Amino acid sequence: MAWTATEIPRSERLHELIGVGAAVLVIVLSTPAVTRSWREKGIWGGSGYTPINANDEYQDLDGVATEESIRAFSDTRPRIAVGLAIFAGIGALIASKVLIPPTLSDWVFWADVVCWSLLALQAILLPPKHLYLSKFRLTVYGLASSLVIAVLVVVLHGFEALALILDSDSDTKYRAVGFLYLVQFSASVGAFLAFASFSRRPDVYDDQGLVDQQHTRSLLDLFSFSWNRVIFDVAKERQMKLEDIPNLDFATKSRNLQARFIKTRREKLPLWKQLIYAYSKELALQWLLTLVVALLALFPQVVLYNFLKRIENRQKDTATDPTIFIWVLGLLLSQLLQVGVNNWIRWITTTRLEIPVGSLLQSLVFFKALKQYETAPPAQKEDKTDGKKDGKAGEPNGVNDASKPGKKANAKGKEPETRQNIINHMKLDSNRVTIFCMYNNNFPMAIFKLIFAGGFCISLMGWLPVVSGLLAACLVIPISSRLSTKYTALHFGLMKYRDGKAHLLTEALQGMRQIRFSALEQHWEDKILKSRNEELKQYWRVAVWQCLVVFIINLGPIMLASVTYFLYVWQNGTNIKASVIFTALGLFDQLDEAVALLPLLQTYLLEAWTSAVRLEKFFSQSDKEPVSKPGDSILFKHATVAWPRIEDTEKIDDEDATEQRRAHSMLRNINLEFPPSQLTLVSGKTGAGKSLLLAAILGEVKLLNGVIRMPVLPPFDHDAKAIPESEWIIPELTSFVSQTPWIEGGTVRENVIFGLPFVEDRYRKVLDACALEKDIELLIDGDQTEVGPKGVTLSGGQRWRTALARALYSRAGILILDDVLSAVDAHVGRLIVDKALTGELARGRTRILATHHAELVLPHASFHIQLHNGEVLSVEHLTPSEDSSALTALSEQDVPSTDDSLVNGQPPLVTKSKPKEDEESRETGRVKTKVYKAYFKASGGLLPWIGGVCILLLGHFLSVFRAWSLKELAQTASKEPEALRFTVQTTSKNDFHFAAGSGSEEREGWHWGYGIYFWLSVWLVIDFSTLLVQIIRVLAFFVIGMKASRALFQDMTHAILRAPLRWIDTVPAGRILNRFTSDMFIVDRRLSNQAFTLIRTVLFLLVIIATSLSVSVYVIFFGILLFILYVRVSMAYIDAAREVKRINSVSHSPIYDQFSSVLSGLSTIRAFDRTEFYMKRMFTLIDSSSKASWALQLSGRWMAVRMGVLGALFVAVVANAVAVSDTNAALAGFSLAFALRYTNALTSVLQALTSVELGFNACERVLEYAEIETEPEGGKDVAAAWPTEGKIEVQDLTVKYADDLPPVLKKLNFSVGAGERVGIVGRTGAGKSTLAAVFFRLLVPVEGSVYIDNVDISTLKLSQLRSRLAIIPQDPFLFSGTLRSNLDMEGLLEDHDLLLALQRVHLIEHVEDQDRPPVHPPAGASVIIGSSTIPLADSETETEASTAVEGEPTVIEPESELNLPADNANIFTNLSTPISTGGANLSQGQRQLVCLARSLLKRPKIVILDEATSAVDRGTDSNIQESLRKEFAAAGCTVLVIAHRLSTVADFDRLLVMEKGRVAEFGSPRELLEAGMRRVVEEPTQQGDSRVDGDTAEDDEEANGTGAFWELVQKSAEKEKLLEMVFGSDKDRLMKEIFGDTNGV
């Protein structure tokens, strides 16, 4: 039938109503513009081109616009475009009515006039461009008005215009009118786009740079995700940096997210409910858009059905039905709507849920950690479990591999919140909750699709078949529910295994030096891989159960389809239509997809639920309780304190709390008042409670009884840029130097000033007081040198002095110092006492020092506290010596002058720019081919991948045969000639179905002689087989991926455990852990699946292309054109996304590094009142990571929108080509189905390709660490008994830390005889510890060699060399577990041997030895401490003070002893005593002694002690040395002892005195002293010069070092004792012989 102009169907009344309604709506939309102009006094007031005043500014919560951004802002083009569009629309309207004049009663015409006129008025009334927001709001109204006009034109004139244009018999005038209607439509669309092109505001900037332009650019940019062009521009030009990515807006910054959540949270609700409440609006919007997506998913089928129906009804030689083009337009719009809504739901999910929730949870975890006790948790509770919770199947037996005899596993008990677990909360748990935010809308999607697709099925097939099918499908629900419960339990177990693996990795990285020294690399590799294998076994169980759950759930759709089809066939017999069969199949695919979403949702739900429970448990722990009350000074009144335990953080009622507490370190019934502005000395034996007392002052303890008072800290500006000198000190503020100094990554200067303003004069004074000036001069970049994580680039003494410098530079009026003198030699120690503790910088400040070097400090102390066994043994008020200034002067005279080496008297500052060592490296360009090859090789090579491809091909074949069986079913039931010859059906999973009908010309009479039910049964069998193949495919992918990830993990573990120690020291542990956790998580779970998805989509695309070649060459032409456009879009995307993904990968590491660093120094940070500073820093790091994720998602949406629009346009082009041609319905249906599937398939290929490249970025990062340079593993084997003698010979030894650094050891030559005891002494930084590291080949000599028993150690296997030597390092490290597992890691020794070793190092004493020393008051007596003799608790005998001290007698009453617990047992008598990571629940001295006991058990021939007893008191040290002398002498061991405490080595066979990396002297103590004293007499001036002039000694290879040991003795506080030890009864005679008197010089 042909349509003529006079026969156009038109409902006049309806059109008039629509026109009037549109006019009213435009009037309403125009009201804001009119009213605003009226308020501005004059409807024509205001022009869009008013010049900007100099004072024009723009500022909002996001940031401030700069002058440049305001000048760059322009709205000229959008205004011109709006004007041209409105002019064209009004012109077309007028021209159309000139050709066909309207009547006065033509309401449609007047509606058009009103709408266009008001739109023009809105354009005229737009405010000037500097009124940004008000103008933008009015452009939104203009945009809406344009949309109303466009819809009005389509509804009122669209059908008419198409009819007039397509009618070949119509008059030219009418055709022109039709074209004018199209011009009106185009003009309204143009006006819509022009109004959408107005930018909202100029670019704004915050403190760190440009703010994301989502709220800056136009709506057109917003809808097309085009506001991120800066990322693409930078990616083209150079390697992208984090600073190139715009910053987050105000609402998305973590600080504001946390503040809003805390303000609105309901604390009584569980965490998951709090999150739902906080993000209810975002979730509602997400679900609403999900409803729209579900509706749109059905719309293309309806459109396609109506389109093909019109094609079928079309007759030859007739004009094209105009409604065909309406349906083509509907098809295009439905595709565009799907693209837009799908991308916006993803964008909203990411930017309003995923990123904000992740940032919120990470900031909350860090915020909570800052308020917790800094506990030292043991590995587990000992033999005490409640067995009530967490006893799930599949859980590991703990995380510390402490399965030694006598130690029970903690599978069912409450697991302590270890530091690594807290980091896992930040890494894994927050990530899993955010992933669920992305997928939670799968649940409403499944419900909506079930409702819509199910309703459509009922309309097609009747209610009985569909309802029966649904009931049959419901039978699997109870089975899947039971399976899901088991799956949940397995998942909880998997989380625990992952925690255990992470804990082991963290501990291995922290204890890497100990692992190297003891040759435990293979032991720890086996231990980690064992944990990894347990994790992968659990992961396999989880995967199998997941597949089982998926299989059972997917049985539902099969039962639904089979029951529905059987009943439909039974009801209708042979009256079965192919259209119903295949339409129903399409709807069943939708139902299948809806149900298939549920297992994925269940997986993520269970992961998120597990993580939410863990997070809630963490958040519910008690915060650190305030210990002190306000007071005028530091006061303890009947205070009993203890170290906090894990139980103190749990809100539980522990019946055994008192009993467990007694086994803990405690201070009982303390009554003290510290004098303000004075120096207080705290002394006592190792383990007496000195550190606990200092922690009590800081509030880092559990107060069990009594009162502690502290001065109240007044409010002050932490961020002040300038502080007057008079206001610098805040008397109530504290600072703290811990026993193990906390140094964070950064420069030396950053560690010293610690966020305060840089005051050069004060800074230089602090460096001088801490003897750091010379050290800084020798550092390669001066005070700008990066110290590395935990200050590893500094020596032990430098770390201590840097921490002390930080305390001195601070504004604190109260300095709490824990044994700052142990890691420095006596000379530097005296300097620190004279300048740092009592000098100008210390005046007026309260100083409380705990130390074993009491004799250095006593002359300056005002208050002396002695502790013993958790009690105050004695207190004494002293009078500081008046001649401290003389001592200071003497000290200054002895110190090597450094002023001459400074530039203009200033500290050396770095001027050259160089990349920071803490910046994580990133690859550039595409992922290298070698990465894919390495993964391919790790996964098993060619065979597994061929098997996987075969499974994929089998799945495609079954999908084709599945559709073909339904075609046979329909063909058997109906022999109508009108049946479709070709039908293409696809599922949402890119499975291809092709069915060929039996046409009368080609295949007439061809038919298999089977009935309807046979083909229905065949379909059912194939459907079931397809499901089985899918399950097998998933398992196959998993096996291949697991094999690859196992191999890559093993390679990386092997490499990390054998990497050079300097690499371990300089790379932050958080960065390494990021590779082991986040990157390995991607390799474990996603990589193999992404790779096979790419293969599957490529195969699917090839099938479609091969089939299309026999259909239409034009379709192929359009397909090639679309492919070219797709490639251009995808290449631009991949270039940008690759860079952003790499930045995103490295942006997580700083968060974890900062978190680990802060947790390790929490007490220091809180003491300095810097928690808010680190919270701000963490906000910045989280925001940096979030903005990288934001940019990655934005670039993904950019690509998806463009690909979706291109695909929709391609479908519209093919549909138009079909509409204007004579193509029959079958070919038309195939062409459109091909267009739809080709678009989806090509999009899937490109998305899979992108996912593979971005996913393999994680593999690339893993391989980077798996392929690092490692220590050599080759070498010669030595005899099993080597070394038999223990002789050492060093020849011309020169060592550098790096090739570009100066040597630290220079031409060393010396030899040590078998069984000799040699002490190695020298000033801090002389190279003593470096020499020890060379013996273990931790450093490779530049030249020279070391021989042990005539064997060059450089030729030996490292494992054999290190296992035959023993060392007790300066910083001892114990591994988590028990005391037994630390002493005997292989579990080979008897308990008696272990206890004997502990007794030898005096951790266990005989019963008679456990009595108090003579200075302890006997029961019932009062002790009056005199004024001249001071008993020291850390000495076997009373020591005379070096200066007379006048003090008040202090009476200690015996009642204090009555408060002692009866069971104050030594914890070291129990070998099952738990030891936490690093031995954090022991003191420094106790850790040293445990390491010493471990070495004794090893029975080595050569033992090196590197300051092994520096943290123990002198009495214990003396006893230990006596024991070691007996033990090692009996075994014939060669002993090398590095010591600052000269009395430790004064009676050794020989001493090696080192000075600036050279051997200054080597000989017996007596020889060295005599030579030094004689040289003083013979060359008094020359000797001093040789010691002072560092530069001369530096350059003179043959500098005479005679007298170096005598100089050290002279500056030691133990000078007289040392002379007695060395000379014995000959002392007086020799002194008189050399010096002429007995006092010496």
Side-chain angles (χ1 to χ4, degrees), residues 914-925:
K914 70 186 204 64
K916 285 191 175 184
E917 294 182 8
D918 61 349
E919 288 183 359
E920 188 168 2
S921 61
R922 292 185 282 122
E923 294 288 340
T924 58

Side-chain angles (χ1 to χ4, degrees), residues 919-932:
E919 288 183 359
E920 188 168 2
S921 61
R922 292 185 282 122
E923 294 288 340
T924 58
R926 302 183 65 86
V927 175
K928 306 300 186 291
T929 306
K930 68 174 185 178
V931 177
Y932 299 104

Side-chain angles (χ1 to χ4, degrees), residues 1272-1570:
E1273 297 183 51
K1276 296 190 307 184
D1277 292 319
V1278 292
W1282 181 89
T1284 55
E1285 299 180 19
K1287 293 189 301 182
I1288 301 173
E1289 185 175 358
V1290 177
Q1291 299 178 355
D1292 295 328
L1293 185 67
T1294 301
V1295 176
K1296 294 182 179 181
Y1297 283 127
D1299 294 337
D1300 56 343
L1301 296 179
V1304 288
L1305 296 181
K1306 309 162 191 175
K1307 296 288 185 180
L1308 297 191
N1309 287 279
F1310 65 90
S1311 60
V1312 179
E1316 270 194 317
R1317 293 184 302 125
V1318 175
I1320 303 175
V1321 297
R1323 292 177 180 173
T1324 301
K1328 303 183 295 296
S1329 296
T1330 304
L1331 177 61
V1334 172
F1335 288 127
F1336 287 80
R1337 283 175 56 189
L1338 294 176
L1339 294 172
V1340 179
V1342 176
E1343 58 180 277
S1345 53
V1346 177
Y1347 292 87
I1348 296 179
D1349 281 4
N1350 301 319
V1351 177
D1352 187 349
I1353 64 172
S1354 65
T1355 63
L1356 303 180
K1357 289 182 178 178
L1358 277 176
S1359 58
Q1360 294 193 13
L1361 169 66
R1362 293 171 181 172
S1363 62
R1364 307 297 173 85
L1365 310 180
I1367 186 171
I1368 298 89
Q1370 189 171 5
D1371 296 324
F1373 188 90
L1374 302 179
F1375 297 105
S1376 63
T1378 61
L1379 182 58
R1380 177 187 289 105
S1381 67
N1382 271 280
L1383 292 172
D1384 180 22
M1385 292 189 179
E1386 298 179 358
L1388 302 176
L1389 301 177
E1390 297 293 333
D1391 288 0
H1392 174 74
D1393 297 330
L1394 306 182
L1395 293 171
L1396 193 58
L1398 293 174
Q1399 180 180 327
R1400 288 167 180 165
V1401 297
H1402 294 261
L1403 280 173
I1404 299 176
E1405 301 178 5
H1406 296 294
V1407 177
E1408 61 271 20
D1409 293 335
Q1410 292 182 4
D1411 294 335
R1412 295 194 173 198
V1415 295
H1416 184 270
S1422 297
V1423 177
I1424 299 179
I1425 300 178
S1427 59
S1428 59
T1429 302
I1430 304 167
L1432 300 178
D1434 57 358
S1435 178
E1436 290 274 306
T1437 61
E1438 295 181 356
T1439 304
E1440 289 287 323
S1442 57
T1443 53
V1445 181
E1446 296 296 332
E1448 301 177 9
T1450 302
V1451 179
I1452 298 181
E1453 298 297 335
E1455 283 78 15
S1456 61
E1457 190 168 346
L1458 301 177
N1459 297 322
L1460 280 172
D1463 57 345
N1464 188 24
N1466 188 337
I1467 60 173
F1468 295 99
T1469 58
N1470 180 10
L1471 293 176
S1472 296
T1473 296
I1475 304 294
S1476 63
T1477 301
N1481 56 339
L1482 303 179
S1483 71
Q1484 177 90 350
Q1486 290 170 329
R1487 291 197 294 270
Q1488 287 183 337
L1489 297 182
V1490 171
C1491 288
L1492 189 57
R1494 181 165 57 193
S1495 296
L1496 286 175
L1497 290 166
K1498 194 175 178 181
R1499 295 184 175 89
K1501 203 66 179 176
I1502 297 177
V1503 182
I1504 301 174
L1505 282 70
D1506 186 0
E1507 297 289 346
T1509 56
S1510 62
V1512 301
D1513 59 88
R1514 294 185 185 279
T1516 304
D1517 183 23
S1518 176
N1519 293 334
I1520 290 171
Q1521 295 302 329
E1522 183 64 29
S1523 298
L1524 295 182
R1525 189 177 296 109
K1526 295 177 183 177
E1527 294 291 330
F1528 293 141
C1533 294
T1534 301
V1535 182
L1536 303 180
V1537 177
I1538 298 171
H1540 284 144
R1541 193 180 287 164
L1542 298 180
S1543 59
T1544 301
V1545 296
D1547 62 343
F1548 276 29
D1549 299 326
R1550 288 196 287 174
L1551 296 181
L1552 176 67
V1553 185
M1554 298 190 65
E1555 194 172 74
K1556 296 180 181 177
R1558 291 190 174 90
V1559 175
E1561 288 184 295
F1562 187 43
S1564 70
R1566 183 170 184 136
E1567 292 173 353
L1568 298 183
L1569 279 181
E1570 287 188 19

Side-chain angles (χ1 to χ4, degrees), residues 977 981-982 997-1005 1224:
R981 296 186 56 184
F982 294 93
S998 55
S1000 56
E1001 299 94 346
E1002 300 176 19
R1003 304 172 65 178
E1004 180 146 11
N1224 58 40

Side-chain angles (χ1 to χ4, degrees), residues 103-125:
T103 64
L104 291 176
S105 60
D106 190 350
W107 288 94
V108 173
F109 167 72
W110 294 112
D112 289 342
V113 171
V114 170
C115 289
W116 281 107
S117 300
L118 290 175
L119 186 62
L121 181 63
Q122 290 185 49
I124 294 171
L125 296 180

Side-chain angles (χ1 to χ4, degrees), residues 484-521:
S484 297
T485 303
K486 174 67 175 177
Y487 176 75
T488 304
L490 289 172
H491 220 285
F492 268 100
L494 179 61
M495 295 285 289
K496 293 182 182 296
Y497 278 112
R498 284 175 177 160
D499 283 348
K501 179 195 69 179
H503 174 80
L504 283 177
L505 288 167
T506 304
E507 189 169 28
L509 292 174
Q510 292 175 349
M512 189 62 74
R513 284 185 175 273
Q514 185 62 49
I515 291 174
R516 295 296 172 79
F517 281 135
S518 304
L520 294 173
E521 293 93 343

Side-chain angles (χ1 to χ4, degrees), residues 616-785:
E616 186 175 357
K617 179 182 177 183
F618 174 65
F619 291 145
S620 64
Q621 291 178 356
S622 300
D623 294 337
K624 184 176 75 72
E625 299 175 358
V627 171
S628 61
K629 295 182 178 180
D632 297 329
S633 62
I634 304 174
L635 174 69
F636 286 72
K637 187 175 182 180
H638 302 295
T640 299
V641 298
W643 288 115
R645 306 166 304 162
I646 280 297
E647 291 81 1
D648 298 328
T649 65
E650 298 177 352
K651 297 179 179 179
I652 57 173
D653 184 15
D654 194 345
E655 295 178 358
D656 299 322
T658 303
E659 179 182 350
Q660 292 180 10
R661 178 73 71 185
R662 287 175 180 173
H664 233 66
S665 298
M666 296 174 60
L667 279 175
R668 293 167 294 277
N669 198 27
I670 305 299
N671 288 279
L672 295 171
E673 183 173 2
F674 294 83
S677 304
Q678 301 296 325
L679 174 61
T680 297
L681 173 65
V682 181
S683 61
K685 296 187 67 174
T686 301
K690 301 184 295 297
S691 296
L692 181 56
L693 178 63
L694 300 188
I697 298 173
L698 297 172
E700 299 290 338
V701 297
K702 187 74 174 178
L703 180 62
L704 304 182
N705 191 22
V707 176
I708 301 176
R709 297 192 180 277
M710 287 284 293
V712 178
L713 181 64
F716 66 97
D717 184 7
H718 289 80
D719 302 320
K721 301 300 182 184
I723 305 172
E725 184 177 355
S726 60
E727 301 176 9
W728 185 276
I729 300 298
I730 302 175
E732 298 82 6
L733 181 63
T734 58
S735 64
F736 178 50
V737 179
S738 57
Q739 193 173 37
T740 302
W742 178 70
I743 303 294
E744 63 173 341
T747 66
V748 175
R749 178 184 291 190
E750 289 170 349
N751 272 280
V752 173
I753 66 175
F754 205 41
L756 290 173
F758 178 70
V759 179
E760 185 174 2
D761 182 59
R762 183 176 184 83
Y763 178 73
R764 294 189 67 244
K765 287 179 180 179
V766 167
L767 295 185
D768 178 61
C770 298
L772 276 172
E773 285 188 321
K774 188 67 175 178
D775 298 272
I776 287 178
E777 180 188 354
L778 296 176
L779 293 175
I780 187 170
D781 291 313
D783 64 354
Q784 297 297 323
T785 301

